[in-house]
Amino acid sequence: MDKLKKICKTNRQLIIFILLMSVFRSAVADWYTVPTGSMQPTIKEGDRIVVDKMAYDLRLPFTQISLLTTGEPERGEIVVFESQAATKRLIKRVIGLPGDTVGLNNEVLSINGKPLGYSLVTSDRRELIATENLNGLIHSIRIETGASDQLSSFDTLTVPEGHYLVMGDNRRNSADSRVYGFIPRDELKGKATRVAFSLDYEDYYLPREDRFFTDLYLN
């Protein structure tokens, strides 16, 4: 016991620093490693994404207990959430808010009866890149032309209260609300804001120089 006290006293500053950093990462901000390409082209595999954990709730550190609601997700925001249906942490874009009616017809989204606007950026035999105007927030989406179109359409549905409809930007290669259903509000961990840095898995895990501190919401 005396030995433990001595260690704590000797390393007091380090212990306090580690404790404060743990609290910060638990309740204020953290980063999330993206292991898949479901959000391409916006987010690449190997990106380390900064997550604002106070965007929607102030939580008791190390718990899911919300002490104060600080905001609500808006259409187009990229959220990180702990999906009970998928049994893992996911990162997707908010498409439908509570009460919205949302439909998808051959890759074209309609929200509350109005089709979104799209502009083609590039197209080849492998993929199609387009911009999607999500009620004023313009972002890129990817369509893998050789992938199954099973998720390319769904009938119009209404997002229930306290839930959100989310989708990945890589539309034919994303397990999202089309697979797991609506996302409950209490599963949200925070809002993804920018890329801290990115490692290229196909180039010896070297950093991608053009992705340091990249804002995820620049048009």
Side-chain angles (χ1 to χ4, degrees):
M1 190 69 178
D2 290 339
K3 186 177 181 180
L4 179 60
K5 288 182 179 179
K6 184 177 180 180
I7 292 174
C8 291
K9 185 175 181 180
T10 303
N11 299 279
R12 183 173 57 185
Q13 290 183 334
L14 177 61
I15 293 171
I16 292 174
F17 174 77
I18 292 173
L19 179 60
L20 291 176
M21 280 299 298
S22 298
V23 170
F24 181 85
R25 294 187 64 179
S26 172
V28 180
D30 200 355
W31 71 40
Y32 170 62
T33 301
V34 179
T36 72
S38 69
M39 282 295 293
Q40 287 191 27
T42 308
I43 298 174
K44 299 180 181 294
E45 294 171 84
D47 283 354
R48 268 56 172 178
I49 303 300
V50 178
V51 180
D52 179 1
K53 290 192 170 183
M54 294 181 63
Y56 310 126
D57 292 281
L58 175 62
R59 297 186 185 276
L60 186 66
F62 312 115
T63 75
Q64 284 293 98
I65 300 173
S66 176
L67 302 175
L68 177 69
T69 298
T70 57
E72 296 295 339
E74 297 182 4
R75 294 188 198 93
E77 291 185 349
I78 301 170
V79 295
V80 173
F81 57 98
E82 295 286 353
S83 172
Q84 292 188 12
T87 65
K88 59 183 176 181
R89 184 174 297 180
L90 297 175
I91 181 168
K92 305 294 177 185
R93 190 180 297 275
V94 175
I95 301 297
L97 303 179
D100 281 347
T101 57
V102 183
L104 182 68
N105 182 19
N106 194 26
E107 311 293 356
V108 176
L109 277 166
S110 295
I111 299 177
N112 298 325
K114 297 180 180 180
L116 303 188
Y118 295 85
S119 297
L120 180 65
V121 177
T122 61
S123 178
D124 56 35
R125 284 190 289 181
R126 188 173 69 92
E127 65 179 13
L128 178 154
I129 304 294
T131 59
E132 178 178 82
N133 189 337
L134 187 52
N135 291 4
L137 193 152
I138 299 173
H139 66 99
S140 297
I141 64 169
R142 179 183 188 226
I143 308 295
E144 294 184 22
T145 53
S148 169
D149 62 356
Q150 183 178 0
L151 299 178
S152 298
S153 300
F154 60 78
D155 293 335
T156 300
L157 41 79
T158 301
V159 183
E161 288 301 316
H163 292 74
Y164 297 88
L165 187 148
V166 300
M167 294 173 63
D169 290 346
N170 195 357
R171 291 293 161 81
R172 292 189 179 181
N173 189 19
S174 173
D176 43 45
S177 287
R178 295 170 292 179
V179 176
Y180 297 119
F182 301 111
I183 307 305
R185 172 68 169 74
D186 60 10
E187 289 187 355
L188 298 177
K189 297 288 288 184
K191 174 184 174 181
T193 59
R194 63 182 61 247
V195 180
F197 63 96
S198 181
L199 302 179
D200 191 343
Y201 294 163
E202 297 181 356
D203 190 18
Y204 305 101
Y205 288 79
L206 292 174
R208 297 182 174 105
E209 295 182 0
D210 62 339
R211 294 192 69 75
F212 282 105
F213 305 108
T214 304
D215 191 330
L216 292 176
Y217 301 97
L218 288 177
N219 292 339

